[in-house]
Structures are given as structure tokens and as C-alpha cells.
Amino acid sequence: MLDGHAQKIFDENINMMVPYYLMASYAYYKLDKPIFSDAFFDNMSKVMLEHWDEITHFHKEFITVEDLQAGTFLGKYPSRVEGGLKSLTETTMPTKRKRNKKVKPKPPPVNTAGSFGKDLFDWG
């Protein structure tokens, strides 16, 4: 989850909540791969609602006060959202490490003692 990463950005510039809100909604509703915890997204919606008149961003028009009150977004996404989300996740989300394939143990050595309990090459 990118809660901590986003919070640092929001602390510096509250206007950045707009693109992150849209990317988080896209990730959650369209891709079923959330980038924020539910609690963080809900809190972000409340903060945006409280500061709505102060927030300025050219994608603000895509979000309504009703969206923020509901804590959801089912509207139209700007064309940049998908690419922005891809770039964000590639640069900030940890990648899953591939596990090494399990190596099958070697079979035990073949018993050369034969049915008489003597080693095949023991002539003594």
C-alpha cells in the first residue's frame, strides 16, 4: 500500500490529492488492485471534502462533492490516470520476488548389495 508515500506528498501539496484520488479509485474499481488502505482512502475523501474550495487541480472537475461524501468514485477517468497509475506503481510499489523453484532431492544411491546382502563387487 502507498499510504505513507501519498501522505508525504499531501503534506507538501494538498492539491495532489486529486490525481491520487482518481488513481486510487481506478486501481480499486477498475483493476481490483488497491494502492491505499480503505481507511486511508476514506480519510483522504474527508480531508478533500473539508478543503474542497481551496483545492485547485485541472482534474478536479472529474470529482464531485457527492463522490467525496460517499467515499467512492464511479465517474469518468481522465486519460492520464491509467498511465499515471502504472508509472506510480512501477516506481513505488515493491515487486514480488520470484521464489526459486523447489529442487527435487536426488534419489538415494542404488543398492548394489543384491539379494544376498553382499556387495556386487565383493568376491571375498
Side-chain angles (χ1 to χ4, degrees):
M1 297 289 158
L2 298 177
D3 299 7
H5 171 78
Q7 188 60 56
K8 289 176 187 174
I9 292 171
F10 302 160
D11 288 344
E12 292 181 19
N13 184 354
I14 195 168
N15 298 317
M16 291 303 293
M17 285 187 169
V18 171
Y20 275 80
Y21 183 89
L22 293 167
M23 288 188 291
S25 295
Y26 188 88
Y28 187 85
Y29 293 109
K30 297 289 186 180
L31 303 178
D32 196 26
K33 295 181 180 180
I35 60 170
F36 295 150
S37 67
D38 289 342
F40 186 82
F41 186 84
D42 292 344
N43 188 57
M44 181 176 64
S45 298
K46 290 176 186 174
V47 171
M48 287 176 73
L49 189 58
E50 290 170 8
H51 298 279
W52 190 241
D53 292 334
E54 304 160 32
I55 292 176
T56 58
H57 191 277
F58 58 96
H59 286 139
K60 182 180 173 181
E61 67 187 57
F62 289 90
I63 305 168
T64 67
V65 169
E66 291 78 21
D67 293 328
L68 298 174
Q69 289 170 334
T72 188
F73 181 79
L74 301 173
K76 182 181 173 190
Y77 295 93
S79 59
R80 292 182 177 192
V81 168
E82 188 175 359
L85 176 63
K86 182 179 180 190
S87 176
L88 175 69
T89 56
E90 285 176 354
T91 58
T92 58
M93 298 275 288
T95 57
K96 291 184 178 180
R97 292 177 57 190
K98 292 183 180 179
R99 291 186 173 194
N100 292 336
K101 291 182 180 180
K102 289 187 178 180
V103 178
K104 292 182 180 179
K106 292 182 181 179
V110 177
N111 181 1
T112 59
S115 58
F116 300 107
K118 292 187 176 183
D119 190 75
L120 184 63
F121 300 106
D122 183 10
W123 300 94

